Amino acid sequence: MKEIILASKSPRRVELLKEIYPGSFLVIPSDIDEESVPFTDLKDKVIQIATKKLERSMIDHPNSVIISSDTMVVHNGFAIGKPKNEKEAFDMLKKLSGDYHYVYTAYAFYNGNGIIEKGLDIAKVYINKMDDLAIKEYIKEYKPFDKAGSYGIQDAGMSVEIIHGTKDVVMGFGKESIKKLLIKYNII
């Protein structure tokens, strides 16, 4: 049995991988300079970032099964990243509140024997209208500074409707896509 590595520091991705993979796996984050990744459009960018994370992990673990992922929130054609502070988080949530946006979650998968597979899962999301006080309370309570778009769909203080796609894609890890690859390569 090959060693399995999740190349992410996201506790949500760890939790979601545990839901589909019953065995043990290593969590070894792969840090890359995301700004230097070349891309043609936002869908391509999120796939390229996941792929670069995977390739970075393959250097140290060439015989392991490796899973990497990246998530991007896209509103009106523009990427919304992770907030650096409370003001950025407030501005992001104010922009997303009462409107639709997309969540792109890309994955890259290395089977440990020379084959890389990659893809993209997309969800369309609507965040119910929040007034300024509700936004400030959400930020104070949940401190969403490690989340693209400044929110976690799993947080009780967030009223979100998924129009298309699944909750796990919004959380940053497309379980069904990864599960199909784990089955395809006889890992589960």
Side-chain angles (χ1 to χ4, degrees), residues 12 73 80-94 96 127 130 134-158:
R12 293 162 299 282
V73 170
I80 309 244
K82 296 175 185 176
K84 294 180 183 78
N85 53 49
E86 286 185 23
K87 182 184 180 331
E88 280 191 13
F90 179 86
D91 292 344
M92 287 178 189
L93 287 172
K94 185 86 171 163
L96 296 175
I127 294 181
M130 300 169 72
I135 292 172
K136 289 175 183 175
E137 287 176 355
Y138 175 80
I139 294 167
K140 183 178 179 184
E141 174 77 20
Y142 293 99
K143 300 178 182 18
F145 305 110
D146 65 336
K147 297 174 178 81
S150 300
Y151 77 94
I153 192 169
Q154 70 280 6
D155 297 339
M158 185 55 56

Side-chain angles (χ1 to χ4, degrees), residues 116-181:
I116 295 174
E117 298 213 27
K118 50 192 167 182
L120 180 69
D121 294 307
I122 300 173
K124 184 177 182 181
V125 181
Y126 180 81
I127 294 181
N128 290 315
K129 188 76 173 153
M130 300 169 72
D131 63 27
D132 290 0
L133 181 59
I135 292 172
K136 289 175 183 175
E137 287 176 355
Y138 175 80
I139 294 167
K140 183 178 179 184
E141 174 77 20
Y142 293 99
K143 300 178 182 18
F145 305 110
D146 65 336
K147 297 174 178 81
S150 300
Y151 77 94
I153 192 169
Q154 70 280 6
D155 297 339
M158 185 55 56
S159 179
V160 174
E161 183 181 346
I162 298 173
I163 307 303
H164 171 78
T166 59
K167 183 177 178 179
D168 52 281
V169 169
V170 180
M171 289 173 70
F173 192 80
K175 289 191 313 186
E176 285 308 307
S177 296
I178 301 301
K179 186 176 182 179
K180 286 177 185 172
L181 291 168

